[in-house]
Amino acid sequence: MNVSIIGTGYVGLTTGTCLAFLGHQVTCVDADEQKVQALQAGKIPFFEPHLAELVDDVKANLTFTTQYADAIPQAQVVFIAVGTPPGHNGAPDLKYLEAAARGIGQYLAGEFVVVVNKSTVPIGSSNWVESIVRDAYEKRTGKKANGVFAMASNPEFLREGSAIFDSLYADRVVVGSDHQRTREVMYSLYRPLLEQTFKPPSYVPRPDRMGAIPLISADLASAELIKYAANAFLALKISYINEIGQLAEKVGADITQVARGIGLDARIGMRFLQAGIGWGGSCFGKDTAALVATAAEYGLDAPIVKAAREMNRRQRERVVEKLLDELKILKGRTVGLLGLAFKPDTDDLREAPALDIARKLIERGARVKAHDPVAMERFLEQYPDLDVTLCATPEAVAQDTDAVVLVTEWQQYRDLDWKSIKCTMRTPVLLDGRNVLDRGVLTRAGFRYVGLAG
Ligand SMILES: NC(=O)c1ccc[n+]([C@@H]2O[C@H](COP(=O)([O-])OP(=O)(O)OC[C@H]3O[C@@H](n4cnc5c(N)ncnc54)[C@H](O)[C@@H]3O)[C@@H](O)[C@H]2O)c1
């Protein structure tokens, strides 16, 4: 099929590349000229494992442009994957979505096209986008838009860091639509994925015992709510284990054992039960805020989601409180942060805990050093005013510091030679913000090991 994708960020580029891999002819549009030029030259504008290889493998099926005119008239399916960043009062800012919808409407050719919202959008946005596309089409052509296009909602569940894997081997595909014809188009588009009939790329193999992927066919509002409800649930799982972690610390229990003990219950599940600094990234904070804002529009309070947000905010403060407990005075101290990205295997810094922690430490007069395997360049670009000294290695971060905080659980930090590192620190305080290091090993190495819970 002929597919166009509006927005080539983490979601749009991954989606476009995977659809090209499935055999579709894909045109990716982005308003950012530099990004498009980089993509045309075969460069991926952000770090995502295996994306560069896959883009290269499917380049015959994939083109990049800044022009809607090059992408929309021939498309059978148009995905909207533009950003929906946080706006006022918790509601997302929809200006990019509005511009994308208008651009699509201006170039629709008159054949039936499915316009798919893949961006995470407030409930009811499909109707809103439909009205913008319709107005733009009718204004340009002077004709009624009936039968020219139909809306679908296809929320995205990929995780940065494993975006290709999550797209090719999704747990489910959700398609919201009000028309049978739209559902049929979406089914044809995703058929090789749903039935897992494609030959997997060697570098992202299909998991053992992977069967067909369930397709959840829903109405538009349900599909939109599924996305928010899923993200809020994952967020509150993290906040729940952090709440239990605070209690574990008081009663002398080990939160890792507690998490395993409850997570092996199939009704609960192990994932997202890792106590620590809490979530960051572009989705959980924004989407939980949007869910609370939507609930408020309907006179509801959403107290559980609000509490999850508050717990997450508190965890970041606790890092600074723990350092204060250990060092007593932060003024004039040097603290090293291991990890800047909001999680491993990405260079995404949106709502990364490291930023908040660095700001809070600097406010209290501490000096901050940091390292990240892939996010330092982006940090310099996006946060030139944040006074953090970047170091080429984790060892250099630790050198002459009063404390080191493990902020992002990159594998390479788990495997460090901690014994040698300890000898270079001013005081050997190690705050394991992700509860992933071995307390026994570190204590024997002479560290004062501080966990965030238990
Ligand atoms: N990043 C994730 O892990 C993730 C996961 C699931 C869902 N989502 C949702 O997907 C959406 C996109 O997220 P992202 O992380 O890919 O964002 P992003 O910021 O990485 O990418 C958005 C892209 O859209 C482009 N753009 C903006 N306005 C445009 C326009 N009018 N026309 C063409 N291009 C335009 C921007 O230049 C940018 O390249 C958001 O709604 C987000 O909540 C993100």
Side-chain angles (χ1 to χ4, degrees):
M1 293 171 90
N2 245 313
V3 181
S4 291
I5 314 272
I6 314 296
T8 56
Y10 292 89
V11 168
L13 186 56
T14 304
T15 304
T17 307
C18 288
L19 288 172
F21 176 72
L22 297 179
H24 301 298
Q25 204 57 49
V26 179
T27 308
C28 290
V29 187
D30 203 286
D32 181 337
E33 254 175 60
Q34 272 186 339
K35 207 176 228 185
V36 170
Q37 274 169 13
L39 287 162
Q40 284 168 338
K43 294 194 191 95
I44 307 299
F46 49 84
F47 179 84
E48 179 59 45
H50 305 302
L51 187 55
E53 283 151 286
L54 197 62
V55 167
D56 191 52
D57 282 354
V58 302
K59 55 179 183 264
N61 289 355
L62 193 59
T63 49
F64 300 99
T65 177
T66 53
Q67 302 302 313
Y68 283 65
D70 297 339
I72 307 300
Q74 72 277 20
Q76 294 160 280
V77 182
V78 179
F79 279 88
I80 302 178
V82 297
T84 47
H88 295 296
N89 301 325
D93 181 348
L94 300 179
K95 65 172 183 274
Y96 303 113
L97 186 69
E98 187 174 359
R102 196 169 309 114
I104 294 167
Q106 279 165 356
Y107 289 98
L108 283 178
E111 299 288 321
F112 180 71
V113 176
V114 176
V115 177
V116 189
N117 244 337
K118 197 169 244 320
S119 298
T120 303
V121 291
I123 296 136
S125 295
S126 293
N127 294 350
W128 182 67
V129 168
E130 179 176 37
S131 66
I132 297 166
V133 175
R134 178 179 293 277
D135 285 353
Y137 176 82
E138 293 181 352
K139 202 165 162 196
R140 178 179 59 88
T141 61
K143 293 186 199 151
K144 286 275 168 216
N146 299 345
V148 170
F149 77 100
M151 290 302 303
S153 165
N154 175 215
E156 180 54 61
F157 301 100
L158 66 77
R159 294 162 299 172
E160 287 172 23
S162 55
I164 304 288
F165 180 92
D166 293 347
S167 300
L168 295 179
Y169 312 117
D171 293 331
R172 78 298 205 192
V173 171
V174 174
V175 173
S177 114
D178 292 337
H179 301 286
Q180 183 57 21
R181 189 170 175 195
T182 311
R183 279 191 279 274
E184 282 164 13
V185 171
M186 293 303 286
Y187 188 80
S188 306
L189 182 81
Y190 278 131
R191 191 180 185 128
L193 189 91
L194 296 168
E195 297 178 356
Q196 289 289 300
T197 48
F198 61 87
K199 184 169 173 284
S202 58
Y203 40 89
V204 191
R206 180 176 285 130
D208 293 341
R209 292 190 294 276
M210 167 102 198
I213 297 178
L215 173 70
I216 311 296
S217 197
D219 57 81
L220 288 164
S222 303
E224 289 166 349
L225 183 53
I226 284 169
K227 175 62 193 172
Y228 282 110
N231 267 5
F233 189 80
L234 293 171
L236 66 95
K237 240 182 132 177
I238 295 171
S239 282
Y240 176 74
I241 201 66
N242 282 334
E243 182 168 315
I244 298 298
Q246 288 188 14
L247 183 60
E249 187 175 82
K250 295 284 181 208
V251 301
D254 178 341
I255 191 61
T256 311
Q257 289 174 19
V258 175
R260 189 168 153 74
I262 62 174
L264 284 172
D265 183 328
R267 293 170 301 177
I268 296 173
M270 289 296 292
R271 290 159 80 186
F272 285 76
L273 280 187
Q274 180 73 46
I277 292 174
W279 77 71
S282 66
C283 292
F284 284 4
K286 157 176 88 71
D287 295 349
T288 50
L291 190 59
V292 170
T294 303
E297 277 177 34
Y298 291 87
L300 298 171
D301 191 36
I304 295 175
V305 182
K306 278 185 181 166
R309 288 174 55 76
E310 174 56 18
M311 173 58 66
N312 201 58
R313 192 189 62 74
R314 278 284 301 132
Q315 287 302 91
R316 296 179 185 197
E317 279 175 359
R318 290 183 73 227
V319 172
V320 179
E321 287 164 13
K322 292 251 174 187
L323 288 172
L324 260 180
D325 280 352
E326 294 300 322
L327 303 175
K328 308 301 173 200
I329 291 169
L330 284 173
K331 275 192 188 56
R333 305 276 196 193
T334 304
V335 178
L337 305 182
L338 293 180
L340 290 167
F342 84 95
K343 67 174 190 172
D345 297 319
T346 182
D347 60 354
D348 197 344
L349 292 164
R350 289 177 285 187
E351 298 203 29
L355 304 174
D356 243 5
I357 293 166
R359 281 191 200 102
K360 287 181 203 300
L361 289 170
I362 292 165
E363 269 165 28
R364 286 181 171 267
R367 288 192 199 143
V368 179
K369 296 161 82 179
H371 170 267
D372 190 283
V374 301
M376 293 203 284
E377 209 176 306
R378 190 169 283 255
F379 177 85
L380 284 174
E381 261 168 50
Q382 295 181 345
Y383 300 94
D385 299 333
L386 194 50
D387 189 12
V388 172
T389 307
L390 297 183
C391 301
T393 62
E395 288 80 6
V397 166
Q399 176 113 35
D400 299 324
T401 51
D402 297 286
V404 164
V405 184
L406 178 77
V407 184
T408 314
E409 65 276 35
W410 284 93
Q411 186 61 41
Q412 77 171 88
Y413 298 153
R414 298 181 195 217
D415 303 335
L416 288 172
D417 178 358
W418 288 103
K419 220 170 179 172
S420 325
I421 285 178
K422 190 223 135 202
C423 301
T424 69
M425 291 174 66
R426 220 176 280 153
T427 45
V429 172
L430 178 65
L431 199 163
D432 180 1
R434 297 296 177 178
N435 285 330
V436 291
L437 301 175
D438 189 323
R439 176 194 290 263
V441 168
L442 288 158
T443 309
R444 281 194 295 280
F447 275 99
R448 163 85 184 123
Y449 174 95
V450 184
L452 255 198

